[in-house]
């Protein structure tokens, strides 16, 4: 299947390189079990979008995800990727063209970062020079300095860095589809938020089709273009955009599942890049502190942001620090309050609270500094927001066929469909 | 220098010192003619070579049987058979070695070949168990990650599972080798050759010097094999594992 439709075209910026995925009446019944883990699921996953699977533990999210790359073979039904039925093709070859990320990255501990990332390109027979160049490119993409990290072993990385390498490995052969199973479940909340921001930044560059399982509804709202909410047996309760699910939960189940998240929906729905950022006085290491101080005083700002040679924030300096220093130092402050521009206002507030700051530095692609968001900006955004709904979009198809052995399906057949209102 | 490296150096020094002491003792001791004949360096070297030969041939056969068997018994389809096979291997080791050797000799005939067969039966367990345990302790999520990125089952086995099982497997192999060196002493009872003859001669003819020299030679050989095993374990440990 070397030239099949599911290998992606070269990913140039901002073109969709993802493939559409269609599950057609897919059922999985594990041997020896009466109930199907996934019952007659039909689900359309549009090319280039992020679809989040959420639902209670054991409802069949992982099973559904793993049927897409056939790590689990469906009992019946078809999987169609970019119009091609992949249900019967060679599973190993299929999987080499679908990125796969699991919790904590699943890196091979006895291989270096570079060897881990090179696994798929090697299997595909790329030559050495091309592989090395690709490894470095991917490390850059996930914000890890290739010089520093290429030859490290996984245990020499933090949890968040391992997860990034996991994403890099999945993207190595530029697959059109990326499957992720609770990718950020094993890291602390602040790291998770950064990884989420980064994933969104990466996605804005690569435009893959991403299917991601999570148990965290806020994560689904933040990352998802579409959210599929499942009940037991992978019964679709609702499949729609985050906005519409929050505004119109299709059932009591969905309402309960959303829970307290709904109260803060404006915070979770609005992203940092949708509000007006404040420009900042920026400088670079080695500059004279007194020059920066006078610039700062001239502008009436409180802090200056020190950037590295690639425009990534290193530290902030207030007037007092500037008046004490002679030359701007280039040390990195790990406690710097930083959010990605795709982060939600909720994330931004969290970051400010953790750092006890009334502002956070905003970074865009490849961690480049883009501006400052303040508490006031966030508050104004909430106040100004009116939940103006965009009702004109078409939600993708998602439903379960009735012929499945899940007990409570007959009592409420109307609820089993996930079609938008 | 790591603790393991230090341990290796101490062990080597101890082996060398003990060997030197043995040689000095034999050279300076007041030996009878029979003792001197039996302990002729050329003869001892011949017995040592025989001993090592039986040990190595048995070890190679053990590896050829136990490692593939261990791999098969950790594959999903055969996983259920692992406890039963392990019980059988356990039986081979639990039975007294001398009994196994003599009984087999009556069945298969006396000589080195039978000695090798019984040694193999005796030493399969540690290699088999450690292959199984070594493969079982590989994180299942790594296997899944490998399959998930498109590695075939074979590729996952050779590039992920086996490399990660190497430390545990090597320690089982070392145990088996040490067992084999010691147990090969019994080969002499069925005309299998080896250093055991010094011990039986010493006992039969009441030559204590020969008995002690023979026992010490076997012990030193076992310690040397153990040392080589530890060295290999150090060198073959996959990088990146703590
Ligand atoms: N390999 C398996 N063998 C048998 N049953 C399984 C297997 N994997 C999952 N299941 C069952 O299928 C159901 C769905 O599991 P899963 O897809 O892992 O749920 P989720 O990812 O939503 O937590 C559960 O009831 C689980 O016990
Ligand atoms: Mg799961």
């Amino acid at each position: 299947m070397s030239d099949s439709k599911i290998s992606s075209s070269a990913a140039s910026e901002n073109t969709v390189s993802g493939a559409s995925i269609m599950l057609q009446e897919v059922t999985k019944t594990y041997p020896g079990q009466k109930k199907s883990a996934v019952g007659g699921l039909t689900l359309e996953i549009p090319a280039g979008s992020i679809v989040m699977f959420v639902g209670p533990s054991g409802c069949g999210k992982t099973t559904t995800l793993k049927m897409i790359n056939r790590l689990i073979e469906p009992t019946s039904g078809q999987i169609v990727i970019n119009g091609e039925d992949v249900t019967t093709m060679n599973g190993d070859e299929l999987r080499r063209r679908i990125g796969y990320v699991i919790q904590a990255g699943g890196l091979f501990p006895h291989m270096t970062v570079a060897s881990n990332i090179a696994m798929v390109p090697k299997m595909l027979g790329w030559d050495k020079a091309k592989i090395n160049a690709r490894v470095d490119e991917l490390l850059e993409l996930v914000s890890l300095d290739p010089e520093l990290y290429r030859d490290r072993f996984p245990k020499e990385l933090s949890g968040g860095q391992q997860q990034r390498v996991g994403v890099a490995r999945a993207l190595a052969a530029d697959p059109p589809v990326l499957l992720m199973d609770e990718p950020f479940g094993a890291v602390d909340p602040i790291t998770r938020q950064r990884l989420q921001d980064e994933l969104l930044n990466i996605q804005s560059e690569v435009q893959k089709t991403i299917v991601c399982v999570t148990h965290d509804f806020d994560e689904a709202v933040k990352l998802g273009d579409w959210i599929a909410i499942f009940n037991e047996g992978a019964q679709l309760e609702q499949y729609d955009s985050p906005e519409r699910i929050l505004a119109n939960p299709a059932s009591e189940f969905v309402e309960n599942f959303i829970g307290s998240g709904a109260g803060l929906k404006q915070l979770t729905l609005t992203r940092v890049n949708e509000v007006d950022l404040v420009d900042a006085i920026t400088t670079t290491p080695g500059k004279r502190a007194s020059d920066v101080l006078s610039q700062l005083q001239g502008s009436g700002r409180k802090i200056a942001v020190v950037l590295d040679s690639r425009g990534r924030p290193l530290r902030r300096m207030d007037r007092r620090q500037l008046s004490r220093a002679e030359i701007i130092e280039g040390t990195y402050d790990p406690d710097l309050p930083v959010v990605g521009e795709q982060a939600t206002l909720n994330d931004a507030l969290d970051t400010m609270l953790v750092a006890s700051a009334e502002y956070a530095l905003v970074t865009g692609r490849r961690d480049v500094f883009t501006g400052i968001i303040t508490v006031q900006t966030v508050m104004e955004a909430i106040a100004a927001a009116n939940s103006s709904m965009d009702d004109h979009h078409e939600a993708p198809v998602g439903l379960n066929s009735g012929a499945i052995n899940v007990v409570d399906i007959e009592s409420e057949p109307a609820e089993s469909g996930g079609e938008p209102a | 220098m790591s603790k393991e490296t230090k341990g290796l150096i101490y062990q080597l020094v101890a082996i060398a010192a003990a060997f030197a002491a043995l040689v000095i003792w034999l050279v300076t001791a007041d030996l009878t003619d029979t003792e001197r004949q039996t302990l002729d360096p050329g003869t001892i070297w011949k017995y040592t070579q025989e001993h090592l030969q039986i040990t190595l041939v048995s070890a190679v056969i053990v590896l050829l049987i136990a490692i593939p068997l261990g791999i098969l018994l950790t594959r999903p389809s055969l996983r259920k058979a692992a406890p039963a096979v392990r019980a059988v291997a356990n039986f081979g080791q639990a039975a007294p070695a001398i009994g196994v050797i003599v009984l087999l000799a009556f069945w298969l005939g006396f000589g080195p070949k039978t000695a090798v067969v019984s040694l193999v039966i005796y030493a399969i367990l540690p290699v088999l168990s450690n292959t199984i345990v070594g493969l079982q302790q590989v994180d299942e999520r790594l296997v899944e990650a490998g399959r998930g990125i498109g590695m075939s089952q074979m590729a996952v086995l050779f590039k992920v599972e086996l490399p990660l099982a190497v430390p545990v497997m090597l320690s089982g192999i070392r145990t088996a080798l040490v067992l084999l060196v010691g147990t090969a002493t019994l080969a002499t009872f069925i005309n299998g050759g080896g250093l055991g003859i010094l011990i039986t001669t010493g006992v039969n003819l009441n030559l204590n010097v020969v008995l002690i020299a023979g026992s010490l030679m076997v012990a030193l050989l076992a310690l040397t094999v153990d040392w080589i095993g530890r060295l290999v374990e150090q060198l073959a440990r996959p990088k990146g594992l703590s």
Side-chain angles (χ1 to χ4, degrees), chain A residues 181-224:
Chain A
D181 196 347
E182 307 209 9
F184 309 136
V187 292
D188 63 90
I190 291 293
T191 308
R192 180 178 317 145
Q193 185 204 306
R194 291 219 178 144
L195 290 172
Q196 290 166 344
D197 295 348
E198 252 168 50
L199 180 68
L200 288 168
N201 281 334
I202 292 171
Q203 171 68 349
S204 67
E205 282 188 46
V206 297
Q207 301 278 306
K208 303 294 180 191
T209 304
I210 300 180
V211 187
C212 178
V213 169
T214 178
H215 56 253
D216 175 0
F217 188 73
D218 283 344
E219 179 166 273
V221 171
K222 176 174 175 183
L223 298 179

Side-chain angles (χ1 to χ4, degrees), chain B residues 183-207:
Chain B
T183 319
T185 316
L186 301 175
T188 185
F189 285 109
I190 58 165
N191 298 331
L195 285 166
I197 195 154
L198 292 179
I199 298 173
T200 42
T201 311
V203 172
N204 294 340
L205 305 183
N206 208 5
L207 302 172

Side-chain angles (χ1 to χ4, degrees), chain B residues 72-84:
Chain B
L72 282 179
L73 289 174
T74 49
R75 297 308 94 191
S77 48
L78 289 173
R79 212 166 270 168
K80 288 199 186 103

Side-chain angles (χ1 to χ4, degrees), chain A residues 6 18-27 40-49 51 53 64-65 67-70 74 76-87 94 98 177 179 209 211 236 239 395-400 419:
Chain A
I6 72 158
S20 66
I21 305 170
M22 188 76 197
L23 305 186
Q24 287 170 350
E25 302 207 13
V26 171
T27 296
L41 177 66
T42 295
L43 195 73
E44 178 194 2
I45 295 166
S49 61
V51 170
F53 288 178
T64 305
L65 187 82
M67 284 195 289
I68 297 175
N69 67 0
R70 301 214 350 258
S76 65
Q78 267 88 49
I79 294 129
V80 178
I81 299 183
N82 254 12
E84 182 192 13
D85 187 342
V86 298
T87 327
L94 173 67
I98 297 182
V177 175
L179 306 180
T209 304
V211 187
L236 253 185
Y239 184 36
V397 178
L399 54 101
N400 297 87
E419 279 177 290

Side-chain angles (χ1 to χ4, degrees), chain A residues 62-75:
Chain A
T62 297
T63 304
T64 305
L65 187 82
K66 286 191 190 168
M67 284 195 289
I68 297 175
N69 67 0
R70 301 214 350 258
L71 268 180
I72 294 177
E73 295 287 353
T75 313

Side-chain angles (χ1 to χ4, degrees), chain A residues 95-140:
Chain A
R95 284 185 283 273
R96 278 171 215 165
R97 289 171 168 80
I98 297 182
Y100 186 58
V101 185
I102 60 175
Q103 199 174 82
L107 301 181
F108 302 134
H110 57 302
M111 296 182 193
T112 61
V113 164
S115 314
N116 265 288
I117 297 176
M119 286 308 286
V120 181
K122 262 192 198 156
M123 285 188 276
L124 294 176
W126 292 19
D127 67 55
K128 251 197 176 141
K130 188 175 168 196
I131 292 179
N132 290 342
R134 181 68 180 153
V135 166
D136 286 4
E137 185 189 357
L138 283 160
L139 283 173
E140 296 271 357

